[in-house]
Amino acid sequence: MDPLILGFAVVNGLLIGGIYGGVALGLSLIFGVLRVVNFAHGSLLMVGLYTAYWLQALAGIDPYASVIFTVPLLFCMGYFIQRVIIAPLIWRESALVVEPLSALLLTAGVYLVIDNLALMAFGPDVRSASTSLDMPPIMLGPIPVNMQRFIGFSAAILAAIGLVVWLRQTRMGRAIRATAQNRDAAALSGIDVPMIYAVTFGVGTALLGLFGSLLATFIPITPNVGLSFGIRSFIVVVLGGIGSIPGSILGGLVIGVFEAIASQFVPATSAAILSLGLFILILLVRPGGLMGKL
Amino acid sequence: MALRISKNMGAPQLATKSGYGRMATLLVVAAGVVALALPIAMPDPYFVHSCIVVLLFAYMATSWNFVCGYVGQLSIGHAMFAGVGGYATVLIFSRLGISPWLGMLVGGVLAAMLSVVVGYPTFRLKGPYFALTTIAFAEMIRIWVENTDTFLGIPLNGAAGITVPLVGESWVAFQFNGKTPYYYVILVMLVLALLATWRLERSKLGFYLKAIRGDRDAAEALGISPARYQLVALAISAFMTGVGGGFYAQFFRYVNADRLIGVEFSIDLALMSIIGGQGTVFGPLLGAVLLTPIAEITRGHLGGVLPGLHIVIYGIILILAVLYLPKGLIDPLRSILSRLSKNGRSA
Amino acid sequence: MTHSISRRGVLGIAATMALGSKAFAQPAEVVIGWILPLTGVSASVGQQTRVGAQIATDQINAAGGIKSLGGARIRLVFGDSQSKPDIGVSETERLIQRENVAAVAGAFNSAVTFPASEVAQRYKTPWLTMGAVKDEITERGFEYVFRLNNKAIYDAREQIDAMDFFKKETGKGPKTLAMFYEGSDWGRSHAANVRKLAKERGYDVVLDEAAPPNQVDFSSQLLKIRAAKPDALIVAFYTPDQLLLSRQMMEQRLDLPYGVHSVGGGTEDPAFYKAISPRAVAYYFVQEDRQVDALQGVRYPEYDDLEKKFRELLGYNMSAYGAQGFATMYVLKDALERAASSDRDKLRDALAKTDITSGPALYVGYQRIKFDEHGQNTFAHGAISQNLDGQRRTVWPAESRAKDIKPIWPVPAFGARS
């Protein structure tokens, strides 16, 4: 194979893979701490994308500047969803040994509601936002690197680093990690577990607000755009190791490069089958994923 | 339902003698009589059509419940079994000219075989891991079928789907102009599935499954092999789902991968069972009987006016049911029944 | 309003006279059902069609309804198929059994239209196919099933015909083609037709690639197209994927000497043009079932009203689907007038004898509507436009070109555009 084409494929795979990883960060964090598989993850990203779009369409705010609105908004949404919808379930099931499968169903309900409310409110038409910043591609040798995707990629890496540092260094972060390790022990040592859960959920969804703003400039926005990221985010998280923050990024990069190179040899449809196969294989052979736990 | 219960209240002497068990039996018998008489009493084809759809989903949800409800694992990939059954039924009839009745059984067997291949490695996984793996398997099969025109000389026809060749009214070809024959076929299938579930609850297999569900490690220590019994249950469940897929094909006369092997179809089956009450004989039936008409009525009344509202309502019902009726709708019904029978006894 | 069918006008009058005083007993309204994907991935198409059909219905009612039925008004009822075959079938049952419709139209998705039109056939209810292009829909010997629009094979043939024609016109043209399409029903069946025709006409297909719907990145596929070096690219994608593809092609400056040839889908969706930079779609060739830059000859006042209302309701300009919804209702009106009855069999017979050569039913850009013995409108044809200075202007067939329009062929590279 032409090494230049291969180089292209690897660079593209890394860029989009980093973005997959960034989008999956919140999913991994929420699962790691709450043991809740958030089916509404993609839908919340859709909310972030629409927020960025409307801020530009109505108030003329550049999608990159809209971060200051989308991040707090999505934090509040996540906080609210946890407090009002998921928390009652977690406390009810706390006595049971089984992992809260019902939480998956609850979030599936949230996904149905959010996606279709968006359809009712915004209509089915596709939208796109665009940045007013002039961003020519930077050249990596002979390979042009798309700036918007590069920004998304860099944000994913930075967000992951920031999240790890926050979890290690701050009081809140340590409380979250303690809760993740042993909820009951954490509660006994005076940690407000319900609050920790809500904040964790909020942080997980706030990250989607960030990526909503950053991706709005190049992803077509529709009420069911979340589906494009939904299943892939699960693959990324499982591949990297559920609950692992660096694992999420690593999983994204592996899937991104894997699909980019596979696509050079087989059609995209077969590449999709292959990455699902990879997902199953990883779960069966190495259920902990590439990286350990949180 | 409420109507029938109040009728029973009017006849307390029956409840006095019988208590909860007889009360429930009475209810089942009454429901059975109503079900048998329905297409005769209300022959309106659209009504019968809607009833068939309800019964089909009730049957599919009961099949799903057979393994998932009793093992406590969430499969979101059952559509792959329905797909195998549906495709096999149509292809066996259109290519080989073999009656769909036989085709449905072959489809069921093929689905059971697939379930063993899928289930053998995946049943070791728990909770969300298992659920996500079943999605991944079903999605692999869906994408593969959508992009495969012929496989080993078998025309799968890719994403375009395949149709049942029309031959007119014929029992052998399982094609009827009226709705009533389909109604009784799916009713019999549902009754068989319910009987199978009822039998399971009282069998060694059912006992083992419940033990595995309660505490897998303890069950294993007792010498119950979780993998083996789960696989047996999964194979039976897949067989039933496959036969149901065959019925779907014959009734709608068309199968395509996007729908019949789609995630949404799997989710529907799981939701009906869970909302109705998984791990019970009648829970999935109850879920289907309540949810399918809600979907149909809201779609009919709101779908054209406010697109999306009907799915929002569906989602809210799901959230409320998971939060407030964790054991399913069957749970409050049971307590009403037992309270009624107690009242009867004291009176 | 013009009704061309003068010979049948006599019949109509005769029918009215025969009914005489009974005319009062005629139903005061005629119910027409529509099966459309109003939610789910194709919701946009369903909404556009619905608005087009509703505007036509309002116009017909405002102009006095169905005159041969004593001014009966048309009422529309909609069923949401959610793009799922079984739900489409159930909704068709509902419309036919419960709403007592005189005819059903729909359903855009071939996968829904196929089984749902069979239901209509079984109940002897006329089914007017809208949007669905699968060839077999009108090839099953169903006498109650009609189709106004192109078959899939027509779409593919027009694309290749246009290339052949431009080649003849200029002496220059592509030798190699690449195909890139969405991997579900529509994209794959279109690709199969193009593959067959390209071989017959001596084109070399150097890349034949499907992608699952709702992608978030096409970089890998664009690389493959770049490596295959085709002279022209044939695409079939729905709006979100088309938007992503067009943007990335511009960003990566992927040049094709003889341009991008799209077969409707995203490129006929007005929402697409609202969302995309005009530079990204410059010189695109778009085959669609409607002549996009106005009609030849007469324009009716109905059209201005239609286009204005459509823009008010949806926020963008008329689309091919809106036009088809609109035209379908006028075809039904024409048949109802001639049948002078909302009886399904009489309406079917009237539909079968449809021969419209003027009037709003031709809004989509056909010169005539007449169904063959299979129910296919043999006068259905598409038109191919090229995006010139931000306007989609018809360049094929040549007789539909405006005087000042000439296709740019070959198309300039991204670097050479101003």
mmCIF file of all heavy atoms in Angstrom, chain B residues 44 46 49 146-147 149 159-160 163 179 248 253-254 259 264 304 307-308 310, chain C residues 38-39 47 50 82 84 86 90 93-94 97-98 111 114 118 123 134 185 188:
data_model
loop_
_atom_site.group_PDB
_atom_site.id
_atom_site.type_symbol
_atom_site.label_atom_id
_atom_site.label_comp_id
_atom_site.label_asym_id
_atom_site.label_seq_id
_atom_site.Cartn_x
_atom_site.Cartn_y
_atom_site.Cartn_z
ATOM 1 N N ASP B 44 -64.434 -6.770 12.917
ATOM 2 C CA ASP B 44 -63.829 -5.672 12.174
ATOM 3 C C ASP B 44 -62.360 -5.982 11.881
ATOM 4 O O ASP B 44 -61.572 -6.196 12.802
ATOM 5 C CB ASP B 44 -63.963 -4.389 13.009
ATOM 6 C CG ASP B 44 -63.130 -3.261 12.449
ATOM 7 O OD1 ASP B 44 -62.974 -3.221 11.217
ATOM 8 O OD2 ASP B 44 -62.622 -2.441 13.236
ATOM 9 N N TYR B 46 -59.701 -4.364 11.030
ATOM 10 C CA TYR B 46 -58.619 -3.573 11.626
ATOM 11 C C TYR B 46 -58.472 -3.923 13.091
ATOM 12 O O TYR B 46 -57.354 -4.032 13.608
ATOM 13 C CB TYR B 46 -58.869 -2.068 11.468
ATOM 14 C CG TYR B 46 -57.835 -1.254 12.220
ATOM 15 C CD1 TYR B 46 -56.501 -1.309 11.827
ATOM 16 C CD2 TYR B 46 -58.161 -0.476 13.320
ATOM 17 C CE1 TYR B 46 -55.523 -0.600 12.515
ATOM 18 C CE2 TYR B 46 -57.204 0.231 14.018
ATOM 19 C CZ TYR B 46 -55.886 0.177 13.594
ATOM 20 O OH TYR B 46 -54.926 0.874 14.274
ATOM 21 N N HIS B 49 -56.744 -7.174 13.214
ATOM 22 C CA HIS B 49 -55.351 -6.937 12.852
ATOM 23 C C HIS B 49 -54.573 -6.412 14.056
ATOM 24 O O HIS B 49 -53.495 -6.914 14.375
ATOM 25 C CB HIS B 49 -55.274 -5.927 11.700
ATOM 26 C CG HIS B 49 -53.885 -5.552 11.291
ATOM 27 N ND1 HIS B 49 -53.219 -6.176 10.261
ATOM 28 C CD2 HIS B 49 -53.021 -4.635 11.786
ATOM 29 C CE1 HIS B 49 -52.008 -5.659 10.143
ATOM 30 N NE2 HIS B 49 -51.853 -4.719 11.054
ATOM 31 N N GLU B 146 -27.811 -6.705 5.404
ATOM 32 C CA GLU B 146 -28.145 -5.544 4.574
ATOM 33 C C GLU B 146 -27.176 -5.384 3.403
ATOM 34 O O GLU B 146 -27.513 -4.770 2.401
ATOM 35 C CB GLU B 146 -28.123 -4.267 5.420
ATOM 36 C CG GLU B 146 -29.338 -4.119 6.301
ATOM 37 C CD GLU B 146 -29.605 -2.681 6.662
ATOM 38 O OE1 GLU B 146 -28.633 -1.913 6.808
ATOM 39 O OE2 GLU B 146 -30.789 -2.323 6.793
ATOM 40 N N ASN B 147 -25.985 -5.896 3.552
ATOM 41 C CA ASN B 147 -24.983 -5.704 2.510
ATOM 42 C C ASN B 147 -24.616 -6.983 1.788
ATOM 43 O O ASN B 147 -23.583 -7.067 1.147
ATOM 44 C CB ASN B 147 -23.732 -5.058 3.112
ATOM 45 C CG ASN B 147 -24.003 -3.618 3.493
ATOM 46 O OD1 ASN B 147 -24.032 -2.744 2.646
ATOM 47 N ND2 ASN B 147 -24.273 -3.382 4.774
ATOM 48 N N ASP B 149 -26.094 -9.613 -0.976
ATOM 49 C CA ASP B 149 -27.179 -9.912 -1.904
ATOM 50 C C ASP B 149 -27.412 -11.405 -2.000
ATOM 51 O O ASP B 149 -28.535 -11.871 -2.005
ATOM 52 C CB ASP B 149 -26.881 -9.307 -3.274
ATOM 53 C CG ASP B 149 -26.976 -7.787 -3.205
ATOM 54 O OD1 ASP B 149 -27.814 -7.296 -2.436
ATOM 55 O OD2 ASP B 149 -26.192 -7.104 -3.885
ATOM 56 N N ALA B 159 -30.376 -5.025 1.590
ATOM 57 C CA ALA B 159 -31.239 -4.148 2.369
ATOM 58 C C ALA B 159 -32.655 -4.094 1.819
ATOM 59 O O ALA B 159 -33.565 -3.621 2.489
ATOM 60 C CB ALA B 159 -30.653 -2.741 2.399
ATOM 61 N N ALA B 160 -32.854 -4.571 0.587
ATOM 62 C CA ALA B 160 -34.179 -4.442 -0.027
ATOM 63 C C ALA B 160 -35.205 -5.343 0.639
ATOM 64 O O ALA B 160 -36.397 -5.128 0.503
ATOM 65 C CB ALA B 160 -34.095 -4.754 -1.521
ATOM 66 N N THR B 163 -39.835 -10.660 -0.078
ATOM 67 C CA THR B 163 -41.284 -10.749 0.068
ATOM 68 C C THR B 163 -41.726 -12.198 -0.025
ATOM 69 O O THR B 163 -41.058 -13.022 -0.630
ATOM 70 C CB THR B 163 -41.998 -9.981 -1.047
ATOM 71 O OG1 THR B 163 -41.370 -10.317 -2.271
ATOM 72 C CG2 THR B 163 -41.922 -8.504 -0.819
ATOM 73 N N LYS B 179 -58.334 -12.110 8.331
ATOM 74 C CA LYS B 179 -57.401 -11.967 9.455
ATOM 75 C C LYS B 179 -57.567 -13.103 10.461
ATOM 76 O O LYS B 179 -56.639 -13.426 11.189
ATOM 77 C CB LYS B 179 -57.661 -10.644 10.186
ATOM 78 C CG LYS B 179 -57.510 -9.423 9.339
ATOM 79 C CD LYS B 179 -56.052 -9.058 9.205
ATOM 80 C CE LYS B 179 -55.907 -7.890 8.260
ATOM 81 N NZ LYS B 179 -54.555 -7.768 7.745
ATOM 82 N N TYR B 248 -44.243 -13.428 11.755
ATOM 83 C CA TYR B 248 -44.142 -12.035 11.304
ATOM 84 C C TYR B 248 -44.062 -11.997 9.778
ATOM 85 O O TYR B 248 -44.772 -11.236 9.116
ATOM 86 C CB TYR B 248 -42.905 -11.387 11.937
ATOM 87 C CG TYR B 248 -42.597 -9.967 11.471
ATOM 88 C CD1 TYR B 248 -42.910 -8.874 12.270
ATOM 89 C CD2 TYR B 248 -41.984 -9.724 10.241
ATOM 90 C CE1 TYR B 248 -42.629 -7.584 11.865
ATOM 91 C CE2 TYR B 248 -41.700 -8.435 9.820
ATOM 92 C CZ TYR B 248 -42.023 -7.369 10.631
ATOM 93 O OH TYR B 248 -41.751 -6.094 10.220
ATOM 94 N N ARG B 253 -45.974 -10.418 5.263
ATOM 95 C CA ARG B 253 -45.575 -10.855 3.919
ATOM 96 C C ARG B 253 -44.334 -10.152 3.408
ATOM 97 O O ARG B 253 -44.152 -9.938 2.210
ATOM 98 C CB ARG B 253 -46.733 -10.673 2.926
ATOM 99 C CG ARG B 253 -47.881 -11.573 3.299
ATOM 100 C CD ARG B 253 -49.023 -11.464 2.340
ATOM 101 N NE ARG B 253 -50.111 -12.334 2.789
ATOM 102 C CZ ARG B 253 -51.314 -12.300 2.285
ATOM 103 N NH1 ARG B 253 -51.589 -11.490 1.312
ATOM 104 N NH2 ARG B 253 -52.237 -13.099 2.738
ATOM 105 N N TYR B 254 -43.491 -9.744 4.326
ATOM 106 C CA TYR B 254 -42.276 -9.038 3.932
ATOM 107 C C TYR B 254 -41.319 -9.055 5.112
ATOM 108 O O TYR B 254 -41.755 -8.892 6.253
ATOM 109 C CB TYR B 254 -42.632 -7.586 3.575
ATOM 110 C CG TYR B 254 -41.479 -6.702 3.231
ATOM 111 C CD1 TYR B 254 -40.863 -6.796 1.983
ATOM 112 C CD2 TYR B 254 -41.001 -5.759 4.134
ATOM 113 C CE1 TYR B 254 -39.797 -5.975 1.667
ATOM 114 C CE2 TYR B 254 -39.944 -4.929 3.816
ATOM 115 C CZ TYR B 254 -39.345 -5.052 2.582
ATOM 116 O OH TYR B 254 -38.290 -4.232 2.265
ATOM 117 N N ARG B 259 -35.615 -3.701 9.990
ATOM 118 C CA ARG B 259 -36.647 -3.781 11.008
ATOM 119 C C ARG B 259 -36.515 -5.041 11.869
ATOM 120 O O ARG B 259 -36.387 -4.981 13.073
ATOM 121 C CB ARG B 259 -38.031 -3.752 10.332
ATOM 122 C CG ARG B 259 -39.196 -3.992 11.278
ATOM 123 C CD ARG B 259 -39.250 -2.963 12.378
ATOM 124 N NE ARG B 259 -40.464 -3.113 13.194
ATOM 125 C CZ ARG B 259 -40.593 -2.632 14.411
ATOM 126 N NH1 ARG B 259 -39.603 -1.982 14.967
ATOM 127 N NH2 ARG B 259 -41.713 -2.790 15.062
ATOM 128 N N GLU B 264 -34.200 -1.661 17.615
ATOM 129 C CA GLU B 264 -35.476 -1.201 18.163
ATOM 130 C C GLU B 264 -36.429 -2.352 18.432
ATOM 131 O O GLU B 264 -37.175 -2.345 19.401
ATOM 132 C CB GLU B 264 -36.138 -0.212 17.199
ATOM 133 C CG GLU B 264 -35.678 1.203 17.421
ATOM 134 C CD GLU B 264 -36.480 2.165 16.556
ATOM 135 O OE1 GLU B 264 -37.661 2.399 16.855
ATOM 136 O OE2 GLU B 264 -35.927 2.662 15.563
ATOM 137 N N GLY B 304 -49.674 12.107 13.314
ATOM 138 C CA GLY B 304 -49.802 13.024 12.192
ATOM 139 C C GLY B 304 -49.801 14.480 12.631
ATOM 140 O O GLY B 304 -49.554 15.378 11.839
ATOM 141 N N PRO B 307 -45.458 15.034 15.416
ATOM 142 C CA PRO B 307 -44.583 13.882 15.243
ATOM 143 C C PRO B 307 -43.603 13.777 16.403
ATOM 144 O O PRO B 307 -43.008 14.771 16.804
ATOM 145 C CB PRO B 307 -43.832 14.187 13.947
ATOM 146 C CG PRO B 307 -44.543 15.320 13.333
ATOM 147 C CD PRO B 307 -45.294 16.040 14.385
ATOM 148 N N GLY B 308 -43.477 12.594 16.940
ATOM 149 C CA GLY B 308 -42.518 12.395 18.023
ATOM 150 C C GLY B 308 -43.185 12.335 19.379
ATOM 151 O O GLY B 308 -42.686 11.686 20.282
ATOM 152 N N HIS B 310 -45.764 10.760 20.401
ATOM 153 C CA HIS B 310 -46.143 9.418 20.866
ATOM 154 C C HIS B 310 -44.943 8.669 21.426
ATOM 155 O O HIS B 310 -45.080 7.898 22.361
ATOM 156 C CB HIS B 310 -46.844 8.610 19.773
ATOM 157 C CG HIS B 310 -46.120 8.523 18.475
ATOM 158 N ND1 HIS B 310 -45.860 9.614 17.685
ATOM 159 C CD2 HIS B 310 -45.588 7.476 17.815
ATOM 160 C CE1 HIS B 310 -45.225 9.227 16.601
ATOM 161 N NE2 HIS B 310 -45.040 7.947 16.655
ATOM 162 N N LEU C 38 -43.206 10.082 9.435
ATOM 163 C CA LEU C 38 -43.268 11.390 10.087
ATOM 164 C C LEU C 38 -42.303 11.493 11.263
ATOM 165 O O LEU C 38 -42.029 12.583 11.755
ATOM 166 C CB LEU C 38 -44.702 11.669 10.554
ATOM 167 C CG LEU C 38 -45.709 11.791 9.407
ATOM 168 C CD1 LEU C 38 -47.132 11.815 9.932
ATOM 169 C CD2 LEU C 38 -45.454 13.025 8.561
ATOM 170 N N THR C 39 -41.807 10.344 11.732
ATOM 171 C CA THR C 39 -40.751 10.372 12.745
ATOM 172 C C THR C 39 -39.633 9.450 12.261
ATOM 173 O O THR C 39 -39.806 8.724 11.295
ATOM 174 C CB THR C 39 -41.251 9.867 14.111
ATOM 175 O OG1 THR C 39 -41.816 8.577 13.929
ATOM 176 C CG2 THR C 39 -42.285 10.782 14.709
ATOM 177 N N GLN C 47 -42.411 15.113 6.442
ATOM 178 C CA GLN C 47 -42.984 16.428 6.755
ATOM 179 C C GLN C 47 -43.160 17.271 5.500
ATOM 180 O O GLN C 47 -44.169 17.948 5.330
ATOM 181 C CB GLN C 47 -42.096 17.178 7.754
ATOM 182 C CG GLN C 47 -41.977 16.506 9.104
ATOM 183 C CD GLN C 47 -43.307 16.351 9.810
ATOM 184 O OE1 GLN C 47 -44.279 16.996 9.460
ATOM 185 N NE2 GLN C 47 -43.360 15.470 10.785
ATOM 186 N N ARG C 50 -46.045 16.002 3.540
ATOM 187 C CA ARG C 50 -47.296 16.302 4.235
ATOM 188 C C ARG C 50 -47.723 17.745 3.987
ATOM 189 O O ARG C 50 -48.877 18.026 3.678
ATOM 190 C CB ARG C 50 -47.109 16.075 5.733
ATOM 191 C CG ARG C 50 -48.368 16.238 6.535
ATOM 192 C CD ARG C 50 -48.160 15.706 7.931
ATOM 193 N NE ARG C 50 -47.421 16.678 8.712
ATOM 194 C CZ ARG C 50 -47.934 17.308 9.772
ATOM 195 N NH1 ARG C 50 -49.162 17.057 10.146
ATOM 196 N NH2 ARG C 50 -47.231 18.162 10.431
ATOM 197 N N GLN C 82 -43.031 5.485 10.622
ATOM 198 C CA GLN C 82 -41.739 5.444 11.307
ATOM 199 C C GLN C 82 -40.688 4.726 10.463
ATOM 200 O O GLN C 82 -39.715 4.203 10.984
ATOM 201 C CB GLN C 82 -41.866 4.750 12.668
ATOM 202 C CG GLN C 82 -42.870 5.406 13.589
ATOM 203 C CD GLN C 82 -43.018 4.671 14.921
ATOM 204 O OE1 GLN C 82 -42.321 3.720 15.199
ATOM 205 N NE2 GLN C 82 -43.929 5.128 15.747
ATOM 206 N N LYS C 84 -40.935 1.891 9.276
ATOM 207 C CA LYS C 84 -40.913 0.462 9.602
ATOM 208 C C LYS C 84 -42.027 -0.240 8.840
ATOM 209 O O LYS C 84 -43.178 0.177 8.903
ATOM 210 C CB LYS C 84 -41.129 0.253 11.103
ATOM 211 C CG LYS C 84 -40.007 0.814 11.948
ATOM 212 C CD LYS C 84 -40.372 0.758 13.415
ATOM 213 C CE LYS C 84 -39.365 1.522 14.229
ATOM 214 N NZ LYS C 84 -39.905 1.890 15.541
ATOM 215 N N ASP C 86 -43.757 -3.085 9.250
ATOM 216 C CA ASP C 86 -44.947 -3.600 9.940
ATOM 217 C C ASP C 86 -45.843 -2.475 10.428
ATOM 218 O O ASP C 86 -47.072 -2.580 10.382
ATOM 219 C CB ASP C 86 -44.553 -4.530 11.092
ATOM 220 C CG ASP C 86 -43.507 -3.942 12.003
ATOM 221 O OD1 ASP C 86 -42.643 -3.181 11.507
ATOM 222 O OD2 ASP C 86 -43.529 -4.189 13.198
ATOM 223 N N SER C 90 -49.739 -1.748 9.458
ATOM 224 C CA SER C 90 -50.814 -1.561 10.434
ATOM 225 C C SER C 90 -51.521 -0.222 10.223
ATOM 226 O O SER C 90 -52.742 -0.132 10.323
ATOM 227 C CB SER C 90 -50.257 -1.634 11.858
ATOM 228 O OG SER C 90 -49.744 -2.922 12.106
ATOM 229 N N GLU C 93 -53.823 -0.479 7.308
ATOM 230 C CA GLU C 93 -55.057 -1.155 7.746
ATOM 231 C C GLU C 93 -55.979 -0.159 8.444
ATOM 232 O O GLU C 93 -57.178 -0.127 8.198
ATOM 233 C CB GLU C 93 -54.715 -2.285 8.728
ATOM 234 C CG GLU C 93 -53.991 -3.462 8.107
ATOM 235 C CD GLU C 93 -54.942 -4.546 7.614
ATOM 236 O OE1 GLU C 93 -56.157 -4.427 7.872
ATOM 237 O OE2 GLU C 93 -54.471 -5.500 6.964
ATOM 238 N N ARG C 94 -55.401 0.641 9.316
ATOM 239 C CA ARG C 94 -56.211 1.595 10.080
ATOM 240 C C ARG C 94 -56.887 2.596 9.153
ATOM 241 O O ARG C 94 -58.092 2.848 9.256
ATOM 242 C CB ARG C 94 -55.334 2.348 11.093
ATOM 243 C CG ARG C 94 -56.104 3.368 11.932
ATOM 244 C CD ARG C 94 -55.230 4.001 12.997
ATOM 245 N NE ARG C 94 -54.197 4.874 12.462
ATOM 246 C CZ ARG C 94 -54.407 6.160 12.150
ATOM 247 N NH1 ARG C 94 -55.588 6.702 12.304
ATOM 248 N NH2 ARG C 94 -53.424 6.892 11.652
ATOM 249 N N GLN C 97 -59.573 0.677 7.081
ATOM 250 C CA GLN C 97 -60.698 0.128 7.842
ATOM 251 C C GLN C 97 -61.430 1.193 8.646
ATOM 252 O O GLN C 97 -62.644 1.201 8.709
ATOM 253 C CB GLN C 97 -60.197 -0.937 8.812
ATOM 254 C CG GLN C 97 -59.475 -2.077 8.165
ATOM 255 C CD GLN C 97 -60.417 -2.977 7.404
ATOM 256 O OE1 GLN C 97 -61.609 -2.986 7.656
ATOM 257 N NE2 GLN C 97 -59.887 -3.710 6.449
ATOM 258 N N ARG C 98 -60.646 2.022 9.315
ATOM 259 C CA ARG C 98 -61.250 2.921 10.289
ATOM 260 C C ARG C 98 -61.585 4.283 9.702
ATOM 261 O O ARG C 98 -62.642 4.824 9.933
ATOM 262 C CB ARG C 98 -60.290 3.132 11.464
ATOM 263 C CG ARG C 98 -60.337 2.063 12.481
ATOM 264 C CD ARG C 98 -61.648 2.102 13.232
ATOM 265 N NE ARG C 98 -62.031 0.774 13.690
ATOM 266 C CZ ARG C 98 -61.606 0.223 14.814
ATOM 267 N NH1 ARG C 98 -60.783 0.870 15.590
ATOM 268 N NH2 ARG C 98 -61.991 -0.984 15.152
ATOM 269 N N ALA C 111 -39.310 -0.006 1.533
ATOM 270 C CA ALA C 111 -39.552 -1.115 2.458
ATOM 271 C C ALA C 111 -40.929 -1.021 3.100
ATOM 272 O O ALA C 111 -41.477 -2.021 3.526
ATOM 273 C CB ALA C 111 -38.479 -1.147 3.548
ATOM 274 N N PHE C 114 -43.777 -1.358 -0.185
ATOM 275 C CA PHE C 114 -43.932 -2.695 -0.754
ATOM 276 C C PHE C 114 -45.036 -3.490 -0.045
ATOM 277 O O PHE C 114 -46.018 -3.865 -0.681
ATOM 278 C CB PHE C 114 -42.576 -3.407 -0.673
ATOM 279 C CG PHE C 114 -42.372 -4.365 -1.794
ATOM 280 C CD1 PHE C 114 -42.142 -3.908 -3.079
ATOM 281 C CD2 PHE C 114 -42.432 -5.718 -1.561
ATOM 282 C CE1 PHE C 114 -41.971 -4.790 -4.118
ATOM 283 C CE2 PHE C 114 -42.260 -6.607 -2.593
ATOM 284 C CZ PHE C 114 -42.028 -6.157 -3.878
ATOM 285 N N GLU C 118 -49.553 -3.699 -0.809
ATOM 286 C CA GLU C 118 -50.223 -4.993 -0.953
ATOM 287 C C GLU C 118 -51.501 -5.043 -0.122
ATOM 288 O O GLU C 118 -52.495 -5.637 -0.527
ATOM 289 C CB GLU C 118 -49.263 -6.108 -0.533
ATOM 290 C CG GLU C 118 -49.733 -7.465 -1.017
ATOM 291 C CD GLU C 118 -49.270 -8.573 -0.113
ATOM 292 O OE1 GLU C 118 -48.061 -8.752 0.024
ATOM 293 O OE2 GLU C 118 -50.138 -9.251 0.464
ATOM 294 N N TYR C 123 -57.538 -4.890 -0.122
ATOM 295 C CA TYR C 123 -58.815 -4.273 0.193
ATOM 296 C C TYR C 123 -59.387 -3.491 -0.976
ATOM 297 O O TYR C 123 -60.286 -2.682 -0.816
ATOM 298 C CB TYR C 123 -58.682 -3.348 1.406
ATOM 299 C CG TYR C 123 -58.440 -4.093 2.692
ATOM 300 C CD1 TYR C 123 -57.271 -3.918 3.395
ATOM 301 C CD2 TYR C 123 -59.401 -4.978 3.174
ATOM 302 C CE1 TYR C 123 -57.044 -4.610 4.572
ATOM 303 C CE2 TYR C 123 -59.180 -5.674 4.346
ATOM 304 C CZ TYR C 123 -58.005 -5.487 5.050
ATOM 305 O OH TYR C 123 -57.778 -6.173 6.209
ATOM 306 N N LYS C 134 -38.390 1.666 -5.899
ATOM 307 C CA LYS C 134 -38.136 0.250 -6.154
ATOM 308 C C LYS C 134 -38.939 -0.234 -7.365
ATOM 309 O O LYS C 134 -40.166 -0.117 -7.406
ATOM 310 C CB LYS C 134 -38.555 -0.520 -4.900
ATOM 311 C CG LYS C 134 -38.077 -1.925 -4.781
ATOM 312 C CD LYS C 134 -38.710 -2.505 -3.510
ATOM 313 C CE LYS C 134 -38.408 -3.965 -3.362
ATOM 314 N NZ LYS C 134 -37.311 -4.231 -2.442
ATOM 315 N N ASP C 185 -31.332 0.299 1.643
ATOM 316 C CA ASP C 185 -32.122 -0.080 0.470
ATOM 317 C C ASP C 185 -31.921 0.825 -0.753
ATOM 318 O O ASP C 185 -31.530 0.383 -1.826
ATOM 319 C CB ASP C 185 -33.598 -0.083 0.885
ATOM 320 C CG ASP C 185 -34.482 -0.771 -0.136
ATOM 321 O OD1 ASP C 185 -33.922 -1.363 -1.082
ATOM 322 O OD2 ASP C 185 -35.707 -0.716 0.009
ATOM 323 N N ARG C 188 -28.211 1.199 -2.239
ATOM 324 C CA ARG C 188 -27.723 -0.032 -2.840
ATOM 325 C C ARG C 188 -28.460 -0.379 -4.119
ATOM 326 O O ARG C 188 -27.862 -0.855 -5.075
ATOM 327 C CB ARG C 188 -27.817 -1.168 -1.832
ATOM 328 C CG ARG C 188 -26.807 -1.042 -0.694
ATOM 329 C CD ARG C 188 -26.972 -2.147 0.312
ATOM 330 N NE ARG C 188 -26.973 -3.445 -0.349
ATOM 331 C CZ ARG C 188 -25.870 -4.092 -0.691
ATOM 332 N NH1 ARG C 188 -24.701 -3.580 -0.403
ATOM 333 N NH2 ARG C 188 -25.936 -5.240 -1.301
#
